[in-house]
Structure formats: C-alpha cells, structure tokens
Amino acid sequence: MLQLPLLVTAQVDLVLLVITLLSMWSRLSHLSYPNAVVFDEVYYGQFVSLYMKRVFFIDDSGPPLGHMILALGAYFGGFDGNFVWNRIGAEYPSNVSVCFLRLCPAVCGSLSVPLVYLLTLELRFSHLSALGAALLLLLENSLIVQSRFMLLESVLIFFILLAFFSYLRFHNNTQSWFRFCWLFLSGASCAAAVGVKYMGVFSYLLLLGVASLHTWDLIGDRTISHLRVCVQCVCRAVCLLVVPVLLYVFWFYVHLTLLNRSGPHDQLMSSSFQASLEGGLSRITKGQPLEVAYGSQVTLRSSSSQPIPCWLHSHKANYPIRYESGRGSSHQQQVTCYPFKDVNNWWIIKEPGRQQLVVSSPPRPVRHGDVIQLVHGMTSRFLNSHDVAAPMSPHSQEVSGYIDFNVSMPAQNLWRVEVSNREAESESWKTILSDVRLVHVNTSAVLKMSGASLPDWGFRQMEVVAEKLFKAHSLGWTVEEHRYGTSQEQKEREAELHSPTHIDVDRKISFWAKFLELQWKMLTVKQEDSEHKYSSAPLEWITMETNIAYWLHPSTNAQIHLIGNPVSWGVASLSLLAYQLLAAVYLLRRRRGFKDLPDAAWSRFLSLGCVCVGGFLVNFVPFLLMEKTLFLYHFLPALCYLLLLGPPLLEHTHTHLLSGTPRRVLCVCVLFVLLSVLLAFRTFCPLTYGSPELSANQLQALRWRGSWDILYRRR
C-alpha cells in the first residue's frame, strides 16, 4: 500500500556541482563583450546568416552540424541574418543578440569541465584526481577564449569527451540493461563529433578501437553464455556503427531541408542539384522540356569541370594555322569550354540526313545509342573532330566547328549518344538528369574538356578535345538549359536563343543523390589556402611558440588573445613525456618477468594511456601530415587529453612508486603547481576576457615569449 509521506533520496556530488557552476561562470559571464566580430566569427557568421535566410552553401572545413548548432543559438536570439560579415572588429548593431550568437559554444565549453571530472572517475581514479583534471581545464585560458565566441572547437571537444565518458560508463556498469542507453549516447556523440568537424573521425576511430578490444575480451569470457555474448556484440555494433552512420546522414538531411534556396556555391554542384533549389538555375530552367528531341536547343555542361562549371562553347574565331610549337592545325572554328553563361553556349540537336533544325510535332526524343549532329546555334557550324592533334593536348584529337575549305579534310561530325546513368537500353536523353557521353563515330573518341587553358588566341578558355574511348574517364555532359527550337532561319533562331520557353515538367532529385553529391564535393573541393599572419606549425603548438590576436579595441589597449595558461601547457607536455617513460620501463620489466603493478592498477594505467595518450595522438599527428593553413586552436582537442592525463598519472606515481617522505614532497609540489596555474590564469585574464584594459608596460610584461605578438598603443 502507498505510504505517506513520499520521500526522495538523492546523492549530490558537491565538488562536481561547484566545478560546474565555476565553469559556467568563467565561460558565460559577460558573453556579449566585446560587441564586435572576433577573429573567425567573420567566417562562421556568414554561414549562420545563410541558415537564417535558408540559402544553400558548401563549407569544405567540415560537415554541417557545427554550423547548425551555431545557427540554433542565433535563431533563439531572433537573428534574421541581415548582417554583413566583412571584417574582424566590425561592431554588431543593437538588433543583433550577441549573447545568443555565442551561447551554444559557451555552454559546450562550460559542460566540458564537469565531463572531464566524470571521465576521470570512469577511468577508475580518485575524486581528487578528477578534481585536479577539472581544475586544469577550468583554468586553461585558451579553452575559455575559444568557448566564449562563435567558434566550433569547444563544441567538438564537448562531444568527444561525452562520447568517451558515455562509453566508459557503459563498460564499467556490467549489471543493468539501462547501460545500453549510455552506449547509444556514446554512438550519438561520436556522430555529433564527426558532424561538427571531420577531425572528430579520429577520436571516433580511437573509441571504436577501445570498444573492439573490450568486445574481444567479452567474447573470450567463458562465464558468459553464448546468447548473451551475441546480444552484447549486436548491441555494440548497432550503437557504435549503425547509429553514428544514420545520425551523420540525418545531419545532412536537416541541412539540405533547411537550405532550399539558391546561393553563392550553386556553381559547384551539378545541374540537377542546382535545379532542386529555389531561384538560381531552377528559375532559369523552370518549365523546360524534359526529353531532348531532334531540333532541341541545348547548353551542355561538362561533368568533369569541377569545381568551376564549364559549358561547351564556340565563337567566330579559328585555330591559328600554326601553333607556337610549330605544329599545324585545321584552321577551323574554335570549340572550347567556357565558364560563364553565354549565348554562344547554345547547340542544336540535328538528325543526320534531315535538314530541319526545329522540333517536329510530336517531338522525336533522342535515345541512348542514337547518332546525332550538333550544330552551333549562333554560327551554324557542325561540331567536328578528326585526326588532327589538339592544340594543348597533342595526344588527343582536335575538336572544331567544321568549315569546308575545299581541301582534303571531309566533315566528320557524327556523334553517338551514350546515356551513362540510364536505367534501360532505350532510355531517352533527359534534361539535367542524364549524364551523357558523346562518342565520335569515325574515331570512337569521346568529347571531353582536357583541363588545359588555351593561349590568348583562344581567349584563355578551356580546351575541348576528343579522346580515345579506352582512355576516357568521367567524360559526361549534362543538358542544363533546354528549349524546343521553332525557327529554321538563322536570324530568327538567333533571336529565339535569347528568349525563354515554359513547358511545365516536374523534375526532382532524391535526397540520397543530393547527399552523395554534397558529401563528395565537401571532401574534394578545397578552397585555396593562403598564408596567414597567425598561422603556425603543429610542432610550435606544444611549447606555445605562437599566439593569435582575436580582437583589439579600436581606440584603447583592451584586447583578446588566444594564449594558453603557460603552466598548464607545461604540465601537459611533462605528463605526456612522463607517461611514455613509465610505460617503456613497465613494458621492459614485464618482458623480463617483473610485475611492478597489481593487475587492476596495470589495467587502469593502460586505459589511461589508451584514452589520453591515444586521444592526443589521433588529434595531433594528422596535422603533421596536412598541407593546409593551421592555427593554434587546432591543438585544443589534443591539449584536453593531456590535461586529463596529468592528475591521474600523479595519483599513480603517489600510490605505486613513492612512499614516505617522497610522497609528502610530491604533495607539496602538486600544491605549488596548482597555485602557479591559478596565478598564471589570473595574470593572463585581461587577455582572455578583454578587460580590464592594461597599459603598454603591463602588456609588454605579459609577453613571456619573444615570438608572441601582443599589440599595444603607447600614450
């Protein structure tokens, strides 16, 4: 029977509560200061504005989840996207809620500190070690700076820490079936980390490696039934493999659903992708005929012209009689690939043996395998190829607009249509949807853009050649703009090429097609990297040889810098070195038959190394192999693992390696280091929060390294 009063008993870790409150205060207080664009906010802010306006974009730095999280804070703050992100230091207007723009990264940065506390406990170390690790993160100036602005590193760090904490909570709790909720949360956090930045993939792979070792031990445990082992393995595979993949795809589904309007990056995408967006190409192609027919007027976009779009083009200019290399040409009309919309991009599909250049009634569609001729709309020259070397690619055939010079060079202007993505052999050639190869009938060469640029005589346009079929790869063309021709006479046809046609035909591209294309573009399309004043090399990060000036007040010495706590960074580097030395000694002695540690302590030591040293390596070593502009903030995820490593390693040393007086000396040294961390934190606070303003002499005193760039005005 129900008995009154109803009582609820709860256990509250007061240390965890205090740490959480201090972390939120350090990251969330005065979040709207400075009321100006700070460093990379000028970069991420553009994407937030595009989300608010639902305009499509591509960011090659990572998947869309991080941008969506930033946009979520802006949405709650009532931001409408109407702000020009054109320079660092630009003042935010009064109608922009700066606090909400920066809220999500600040919350993630705040929660990372208690997560480190809990993660240390799950590694089976004491509450004192957990407190030490949390304090190191709490008092790390660089993490505070990166959390307080509209940047993504704090979000990435939060999801990485959450993934490892959730997995270890699952692994350590062997009794309750509720623990599989922690496993699911771990998989979801991995998907979120990868969804924020591709660097999250390496932490995800590390977690999969740890989980694989645990699963292998589980399979070898004869005390567990076969059925239970199978269920455990399936649950782990679903939560750590299937769930992250599904969620990763889901981030893109939300991204593509939100961004349904034409934007600045449309040109990077295929014609079918562009046509699925409101405005832009869809406005141009709205109502176009679906099936290409004899007499159709079309523009042909090259599928291999990435990232810059390019259309088959011709103009009233001939190839030079002789090139600079001394080779001769056909001196026929140039055919090129032109990266801009132009009336000279229009071609007419003609049926061989018939003179009509208009669409019959009913239209006769062109199908896979049909032989056609292509007539240039503005000059009436036939697309031609022959056994003459191309101007820039002498191993390929020249492509030209045929001119009859009454020499022994007959026209060879027949082309066979091959629909590469056809579903049936009788597939018709469709506008936007079909990827088509045009095969020269006489030579079996395939029409393609070579990728080379023509000299001045070719107006620096892209070279078009015909290449033998066995050499051809990804040589498709897509009909982008399409109309049914109605004018047989040249002058009437030229006027017709400038006027749109509207025939209602519905064309849609599936989500999977858009997802795969967008994913491929993000992985392959790279913006040009340029040197930056504050760029740095990975090896400079460990000793903090460099800093980054994030913001400088336009008239005073108030400024914000990405500078870490020098004492914390020193502790982190020494912890890494100490662990490696200890691990080497232990392994050598165990090889010789000496077991210095009990099995439980050895297991904890190995787990600490897998998570912390492994986490550092997977977040640092890849940068050594990258050829891109790098900054100090790229080191922050790796730094978090090293800060987590120090206190548990000290506990291990105190418990298993020292006794008596050395233990007391170690305790005194630890207190001294913590006090030094606190003093260094307070010393650099003016550069972390931008206040109070310091004098020129005070700023000069903070330049602890000669390579740091700290700015100041003398008065």
Side-chain angles (χ1 to χ4, degrees), residues 254-268:
V254 176
H255 174 74
L256 291 171
T257 301
L258 291 174
L259 306 185
N260 61 347
R261 295 174 181 167
S262 174
H265 296 162
D266 289 10
Q267 295 185 69
L268 300 176

Side-chain angles (χ1 to χ4, degrees), residues 364-558:
R364 296 175 55 246
V366 179
R367 301 187 181 278
H368 169 73
D370 286 355
V371 175
I372 64 168
Q373 293 174 307
L374 283 165
V375 181
H376 187 239
M378 298 301 291
T379 65
S380 297
R381 300 297 184 189
F382 284 79
L383 185 70
N384 186 80
S385 186
H386 39 219
D387 192 16
V388 175
M392 310 306 296
S393 307
H395 297 292
S396 301
Q397 295 175 190
E398 177 191 87
V399 175
S400 63
Y402 182 72
I403 304 174
D404 188 0
F405 289 119
N406 289 322
V407 295
S408 57
M409 190 176 287
Q412 299 181 34
N413 52 31
L414 298 179
W415 300 86
R416 185 172 64 254
V417 175
E418 293 186 356
V419 181
S420 304
N421 58 345
R422 64 187 181 278
E423 296 179 359
E425 287 302 314
S426 60
E427 177 94 8
S428 60
W429 187 359
K430 294 183 176 64
T431 305
I432 291 177
L433 303 179
S434 294
D435 191 44
V436 168
R437 289 200 306 180
L438 296 172
V439 182
H440 191 233
V441 172
N442 297 77
T443 61
S444 297
V446 178
L447 186 73
K448 62 166 286 189
M449 185 196 73
S450 70
S453 296
L454 296 173
D456 290 339
W457 55 257
F459 310 102
R460 297 290 173 182
Q461 297 176 17
M462 305 301 292
E463 180 191 42
V464 171
V465 300
E467 192 169 78
K468 292 297 184 181
L469 184 58
F470 64 87
K471 297 181 182 177
H473 300 283
S474 302
L475 308 182
W477 298 83
T478 302
V479 170
E480 189 168 271
E481 296 180 64
H482 178 207
R483 73 183 83 238
Y484 281 166
T486 59
S487 302
Q488 182 69 27
E489 297 298 324
Q490 176 67 21
K491 288 187 177 180
E492 295 176 359
R493 188 164 62 246
E494 290 179 9
E496 183 181 9
L497 290 175
H498 291 87
S499 62
T501 60
H502 296 281
I503 304 173
D504 292 331
V505 178
D506 185 29
R507 289 183 298 276
K508 292 183 179 179
I509 179 174
S510 68
F511 160 72
W512 289 107
K514 295 176 71 173
F515 165 73
L516 292 175
E517 181 179 346
L518 179 57
Q519 186 68 71
W520 177 250
K521 290 293 188 297
M522 293 176 66
L523 293 174
T524 57
V525 175
K526 295 298 179 183
Q527 299 176 4
E528 292 186 5
D529 289 323
S530 57
E531 284 297 319
H532 192 282
K533 179 181 179 180
Y534 293 109
S535 62
S536 54
L539 293 179
E540 296 176 335
W541 301 340
I542 298 178
T543 55
M544 203 162 54
E545 293 284 341
T546 183
N547 69 308
I548 303 177
Y550 269 15
W551 172 79
L552 177 66
H553 194 280
S555 59
T556 71
N557 275 330

Side-chain angles (χ1 to χ4, degrees), residues 146-166:
Q146 203 68 15
S147 299
R148 289 176 55 82
F149 302 110
M150 194 168 48
L151 309 169
L152 290 182
E153 272 64 35
S154 63
V155 183
L156 174 63
I157 291 169
F158 167 75
F159 283 122
I160 289 174
L161 294 175
L162 181 60
F164 276 96
F165 163 70
S166 303

Side-chain angles (χ1 to χ4, degrees), residues 15 22 58 96 194 327 401 430-431 470 483 510 544 564 577:
V15 173
L22 288 174
I58 294 179
V96 174
V194 177
R327 291 188 296 108
K430 294 183 176 64
T431 305
F470 64 87
R483 73 183 83 238
S510 68
M544 203 162 54
L577 180 61

Side-chain angles (χ1 to χ4, degrees), residues 46-47 49-51 53-58 259 261-269 274 277 280 307-309 527:
Q46 300 175 47
F47 301 130
S49 289
L50 292 174
Y51 269 115
K53 297 180 179 181
R54 306 191 67 175
V55 171
F56 175 77
F57 67 87
I58 294 179
L259 306 185
R261 295 174 181 167
S262 174
H265 296 162
D266 289 10
Q267 295 185 69
L268 300 176
M269 311 306 293
Q274 293 183 53
L277 303 173
I308 304 301
Q527 299 176 4

Side-chain angles (χ1 to χ4, degrees), residues 130 138 144 202 375 434 465 512 524 591 595 603 637 663 690 695 707:
L138 175 67
I144 295 176
F202 298 107
V375 181
S434 294
V465 300
W512 289 107
T524 57
R591 184 63 177 169
K595 290 190 175 182
S603 177
R663 280 189 174 182
S695 66
S707 55

